[in-house]
Amino acid sequence: MKALVYQGPGRMAWQDKPMPSVDKPTDALVRITHTTICGTDLHILKGDVPAVTPGRTLGHEGVGVVEEVGGAVSNFKKGDRVLISCITSCGRCPACKKQLYSHCEDGGWILGHLIDGTQAEYVRIPHADNSLYPLPAGGDEEALVMLSDILPTGFEIGVLNGQVKPGDTIAIVGAGPIGMATLLTSKFYAPARIIMVDTDANRLQTAQTFGATDLVDASDGKAAEKILALTGGRGVDVAIEAVGVAATFDVCQQIVAAGGHIANVGVHGKSVELHLEQLWIKNITLTTGLVNTNTTPMLLQTVQAGTVAPAALVTHRFALDDIEQAYRVFGNAAKEKALKVVLKA
């Protein structure tokens, strides 16, 4: 079978690899029909995630068809069309009992990280009963790929951690796929203003079509000043960091209002400076997190009902065999006007 294999910082190859197999009774073997590339995959290629070692198949998102199941799998059978969660969960350990699936003692974020992932023709899914979801009949598979990771990540780590409430003024710093997913799901809670911040004019205009009320171009380095001006110097109730670099985290520190929330969603490969000398007196809450995907069933229902339309995030489509070209496009998102790329087998 073919797979996208990490070969060290800055290097990858679409190459032959042995077919995965059902190794444990709780495993399923899934044939990939659609997958995508995540910003986290770009962080891996930059060397920001040293736990990913050369030889690893990348990817943690996708939908596909069950080819084989282990003897202990009861929820799925050969031929079932399934959504693959980016988080693997045993459903039994203390963390899973608290719905902290990302900290499962025999799972968590392991696909494309600690075990081979979904950017391949086939993938082994451990704890299949708890780590796969049945696809609704007639569901748009391109749209449903967005439910593997970015939609629950934006919702859980941005919106829910940030405690977005009706009438809030929120700022989402970073209008990439995660920022856009946060924007789409923040509307569940009817914030009064959604300020979108980015350096890419195209992404800002796209954010406006998704419901952003204010756009801030950060290319001049004055994003914080502009946001404070928009809010009469008060700042925002919720500042959501959706990039994973020091500069965007610092903007969030500067714009959060007294009693507000900073919800960090981005993957940080380097340390940032925490200005506690300024924040301690403001009664702010700072949260971080790795998605648990406990909201995935609810989000599936919202997509089916048309409440949220993640298919709008897809800007480019490629054959799975063209995944290296897809990485080049996604890695040059501003130039290519790319949000999410979908790869079809």
Side-chain angles (χ1 to χ4, degrees):
M1 98 168 168
K2 292 279 192 178
L4 196 282
V5 179
Y6 175 68
Q7 298 182 324
R11 296 180 293 120
M12 61 183 175
W14 179 247
Q15 64 184 55
D16 288 320
K17 200 169 183 181
M19 173 80 78
S21 59
V22 170
D23 294 340
K24 296 181 179 179
T26 51
D27 288 350
L29 179 65
V30 177
R31 174 173 57 84
I32 293 293
T33 59
H34 293 81
T35 187
T36 184
I37 303 168
C38 181
T40 303
D41 297 321
L42 299 184
H43 279 283
I44 289 170
L45 282 175
K46 283 167 45 180
D48 289 345
V49 189
V52 181
T53 54
R56 177 71 62 234
T57 298
L58 297 183
H60 50 267
E61 303 163 274
V63 299
V65 180
V66 175
E67 291 291 310
E68 184 182 352
V69 297
V73 176
S74 58
N75 292 342
F76 301 96
K77 63 183 184 307
K78 180 179 172 63
D80 285 347
R81 304 188 80 83
V82 292
L83 168 69
I84 298 167
S85 174
C86 66
I87 297 296
T88 300
S89 58
C90 73
R92 296 182 174 185
C93 70
C96 284
K97 293 296 185 182
K98 298 176 184 176
Q99 289 197 326
L100 285 170
Y101 303 133
S102 60
H103 296 280
C104 173
E105 291 179 0
D106 191 38
W109 172 41
I110 57 175
L111 289 173
H113 178 208
L114 305 179
I115 68 171
D116 285 344
T118 58
Q119 291 170 7
E121 293 174 323
Y122 294 86
V123 61
R124 179 180 72 89
I125 303 297
H127 302 297
D129 275 341
N130 298 301
S131 307
L132 297 173
Y133 297 90
L135 286 188
D140 179 351
E141 294 193 10
E142 285 191 0
L144 293 172
V145 171
M146 305 302 120
L147 287 169
S148 285
D149 182 359
I150 65 166
L151 218 64
T153 294
F155 183 52
E156 294 174 23
I157 310 305
V159 178
L160 295 184
N161 277 5
Q163 297 184 28
V164 174
K165 301 181 298 299
D168 275 355
T169 294
I170 72 171
I172 302 169
V173 185
I178 285 290
M180 295 296 195
T182 305
L183 165 58
L184 289 174
T185 55
S186 72
K187 294 194 293 180
F188 293 161
Y189 294 93
R193 296 178 75 177
I194 303 173
I195 303 169
M196 209 71 183
V197 186
D198 206 279
T199 58
D200 184 334
N202 177 68
R203 285 186 167 183
L204 289 174
Q205 292 303 315
T206 301
Q208 190 169 42
T209 69
F210 288 170
T213 59
D214 301 88
L215 308 177
V216 170
D217 183 346
S219 58
D220 59 1
K222 297 181 178 179
E225 294 175 35
K226 293 176 182 178
I227 295 165
L228 290 172
L230 282 172
T231 59
R234 175 180 173 272
V236 300
D237 300 298
V238 187
I240 299 170
E241 199 287 328
V243 181
V245 297
T248 49
F249 183 80
D250 193 51
V251 168
C252 291
Q253 295 186 87
Q254 294 179 59
I255 64 173
V256 65
H261 290 73
I262 298 175
N264 185 90
V265 185
V267 177
H268 289 268
K270 296 180 180 179
S271 63
V272 302
E273 187 173 356
L274 177 65
H275 288 290
L276 202 55
E277 80 283 2
Q278 298 171 18
L279 296 174
W280 75 268
I281 202 170
K282 295 181 71 173
N283 295 73
I284 68 110
T285 300
L286 169 63
T287 57
T288 66
L290 177 61
V291 65
N292 289 303
T293 66
N294 56 293
T295 65
T296 300
M298 179 277 284
L299 291 170
L300 269 167
Q301 293 181 16
T302 66
V303 172
Q304 283 303 100
T307 306
V308 63
L313 296 170
V314 180
T315 56
H316 292 71
R317 295 163 177 84
F318 295 88
L320 186 56
D321 283 343
D322 294 328
I323 191 168
E324 292 185 56
Q325 173 62 15
Y327 261 92
R328 286 190 284 272
V329 168
F330 189 61
N332 292 280
K335 177 183 176 183
E336 301 290 346
K337 298 184 177 181
L339 276 176
K340 287 296 279 186
V341 303
V342 166
L343 297 133
K344 183 176 181 180

